Amino acid sequence: MSNSNVFIGSLDQGTTSTRFIIYDHNAKVIGSHQVEFTQIYPEAGWVEHDPMEILESARICMTKAIEKATAEGHDVENGLKAIGITNQRETTVIWSKSTGAPLHNAIVWMDVRTSSICRRLEKELEGGRTHFVETCGLPISTYFSALKVLWFFENVEKVKEAVENGDALFGTIDSWLIWNLTGGVDGGLHVTDVSNASRTMLMNLKTLDWDKTTLKELGIPSGILPKIVSNSEVIGEVTKGWPIAGIPIAGCLGDQHAAMVGQACRKGEAKSTYGTGAFILLNTGDQMITSTHGLLSTVAFKLGPNAPPNYALEGSIAIAGAAVQWLRDGLGLIGSASEIEKLASEVDSTGGVYFVPAFNGLFAPWWRDDARGVCIGITRFTNKAHVARAVLESMCFQVKDVLDSMHKDARGVESTEKFLLRVDGGATVNNLLMQIQADILGNPVVRPADIETTALGAAYAAGLAVGVWKEEEIFSSGERMKIATTFNPILEEDKRKKKVESWCKAVSRTFDLADLSL
């Protein structure tokens, strides 16, 4: 389908903001709007969102994006063929089937309140921390939705009552959005997709269905769970009362999986998305690889009900861009996130300062929820520019840690060509960050012309389902590579090795600090 009046929408619900983007048939943006919403921190290490505020942010973004595109002369009302949804993963909502009201704020993916539940399960279950890895590819960790569901069961009376009465529905943010967009209490569809389901600890990676043994062991009733669908199929239509009523919802992916599609990552290719956290995924094709180096096995994408799944190895980094926000909001060293590049450029090194942003523990490949942030190597010579540069370096070192593990796990899957890292996300506009990343990796870093590949991937999935694009068009990345920006490493190998050794020493200093007295 090649028509100048054909449009696809993408609802991109992230950790700090919601966006709605409208693309034309050439995947060019013709209208978009973004709204930030409230981050709620009830206690140290706890992070919540208001699900109702997320819904309202989606409504505003849809309305404003359509207005902008229409003002530019695009007939969106008649040309919008479908929308795709992409969302922050693992963030958990439980709501009432009868009233539609959330029974508590959403518990966000980076929240660590479930640490004690994790420790308890590790002791009780025969396989300890890796008890469920063979089934779902994930270790027992505060990160994943199942543990958040158990916390709700044990700590929120409204949830306990609703579960007993058959009135509770569980979902990640995609499920919450789709249920409301398709009718809510008036026949809303309770679904999730394979990529989001693969992050709950409850889905069997081989069958792509909820695992009955896991549900029984954790005491989670199947009745609260959504139906699992593929990433690219017509799920349902947007109900009346929304700005795009009658439009099919035809794509749904967790944000990192959407970025893989947006980056056209084929088997053996990897991407890193830099947002609040950083997320590195390597497409392993039809091979589900169990990591022996601290990575997660997950579904990459399944582009159609009858399409075969692609699997991936993933390394998740809890704090990337969030460390820059902390410099801005917590310390006041910068007035806006964009200022960090200029400040860090005032010095040509960190002056021996290493910053490890283990604010809520460390994810891959360390998996230490007892870790806490450290800034070491400080001398009288240290100034705020050194700290700013150390913050940027911390993102790059964490990405290298994950990629080193991937290369060990994925021997035989990766291409024999020289490895390059595809990058996307808001922080990649920072040229200094991208150059530091290339230097620390010792490999090229490739930034596409459109860095918002998460939203683009959801649009591609929806467009694929309704015939706007074909799969070969989406994955023919040659033309896009021509207009991409490549950052090549310039740091000498011996300096790189010394810096990596110092980083590892700094990481070791973060362990066993969760119990420091206030």
Side-chain angles (χ1 to χ4, degrees), residues 39-61:
Q39 310 301 305
I40 303 165
Y41 304 102
E43 294 184 24
W46 293 28
V47 191
E48 296 178 357
H49 290 154
D50 177 352
M52 299 306 291
E53 187 182 2
I54 286 175
L55 280 187
E56 185 57 24
S57 70
R59 186 184 300 277
I60 292 167
C61 288

Side-chain angles (χ1 to χ4, degrees), residues 416-438:
T416 53
E417 296 175 21
K418 183 171 174 61
F419 179 80
L420 58 83
L421 179 66
R422 299 161 188 253
V423 298
D424 56 76
T428 61
V429 298
N430 186 324
N431 290 327
L432 177 60
L433 175 68
M434 294 296 94
Q435 185 58 53
I436 291 171
Q437 185 68 84

Side-chain angles (χ1 to χ4, degrees), residues 120-199:
R120 186 182 77 217
L121 289 175
E122 287 171 13
K123 289 177 182 174
E124 291 175 357
L125 296 170
E126 185 182 346
R129 188 170 161 274
T130 59
H131 183 80
F132 299 109
V133 165
E134 192 174 337
T135 304
C136 68
L138 310 175
I140 293 171
S141 165
T142 59
Y143 190 9
F144 306 114
S145 307
L147 286 306
K148 303 178 198 305
V149 171
L150 294 184
W151 187 90
F152 277 129
F153 286 1
E154 294 174 17
N155 294 278
V156 182
E157 197 60 40
K158 281 185 183 177
V159 170
K160 282 188 266 188
E161 290 173 5
V163 170
E164 289 168 8
N165 298 334
D167 189 42
L169 295 177
F170 150 75
T172 41
I173 296 294
D174 57 309
S175 299
W176 169 247
L177 288 169
I178 292 170
W179 189 79
N180 281 282
L181 284 167
T182 57
V185 294
D186 296 317
L189 299 172
H190 190 212
V191 301
T192 189
D193 73 274
V194 287
S195 65
N196 277 295
S198 75
R199 314 297 298 183

Side-chain angles (χ1 to χ4, degrees), residues 2-3 6 23-28 460 469:
S2 182
N3 185 327
V6 169
Y23 296 89
D24 68 10
H25 70 289
N26 292 315
K28 179 184 174 187
Y460 276 152
W469 294 298

Side-chain angles (χ1 to χ4, degrees), residues 90-324:
E90 297 97 12
T91 297
T92 301
V93 190
I94 297 184
W95 67 96
S96 164
K97 190 190 305 183
S98 59
T99 69
L103 300 172
H104 192 276
N105 279 338
I107 301 179
V108 178
W109 56 271
M110 67 179 78
D111 184 288
V112 294
R113 74 185 66 186
T114 58
S115 294
S116 60
I117 296 175
C118 292
R119 299 294 83 76
R120 186 182 77 217
L121 289 175
E122 287 171 13
K123 289 177 182 174
E124 291 175 357
L125 296 170
E126 185 182 346
R129 188 170 161 274
T130 59
H131 183 80
F132 299 109
V133 165
E134 192 174 337
T135 304
C136 68
L138 310 175
I140 293 171
S141 165
T142 59
Y143 190 9
F144 306 114
S145 307
L147 286 306
K148 303 178 198 305
V149 171
L150 294 184
W151 187 90
F152 277 129
F153 286 1
E154 294 174 17
N155 294 278
V156 182
E157 197 60 40
K158 281 185 183 177
V159 170
K160 282 188 266 188
E161 290 173 5
V163 170
E164 289 168 8
N165 298 334
D167 189 42
L169 295 177
F170 150 75
T172 41
I173 296 294
D174 57 309
S175 299
W176 169 247
L177 288 169
I178 292 170
W179 189 79
N180 281 282
L181 284 167
T182 57
V185 294
D186 296 317
L189 299 172
H190 190 212
V191 301
T192 189
D193 73 274
V194 287
S195 65
N196 277 295
S198 75
R199 314 297 298 183
T200 61
M201 275 181 53
L202 303 175
M203 189 187 82
N204 186 305
L205 281 182
K206 292 172 184 164
T207 66
L208 304 184
D209 205 352
W210 302 120
D211 189 78
K212 291 177 182 175
T213 303
T214 302
L215 294 177
K216 186 176 179 182
E217 284 187 292
L218 293 176
I220 295 175
S222 59
I224 72 170
L225 302 177
K227 175 189 173 186
I228 302 173
V229 298
S230 78
N231 299 119
S232 180
E233 63 180 271
V234 175
I235 296 166
E237 289 188 354
V238 178
T239 193
K240 60 185 178 182
W242 285 88
I244 51 172
I247 302 300
I249 300 169
C252 183
L253 308 96
D255 50 10
Q256 304 314 318
H257 313 262
M260 284 200 93
V261 176
Q263 286 272 34
C265 283
R266 291 165 292 199
K267 182 177 178 179
E269 295 178 337
K271 70 89 200 170
S272 179
T273 299
Y274 301 74
T276 306
F279 302 88
I280 306 93
L281 278 84
L282 171 73
N283 188 334
T284 61
D286 58 1
Q287 289 181 252
M288 190 182 75
I289 296 175
T290 300
S291 174
T292 55
H293 297 90
L295 303 177
L296 311 176
S297 303
T298 192
V299 173
F301 46 77
K302 177 177 162 63
L303 296 177
N306 300 315
N310 272 236
Y311 292 97
L313 283 170
E314 175 172 343
S316 306
I317 295 163
I319 303 295
V324 178

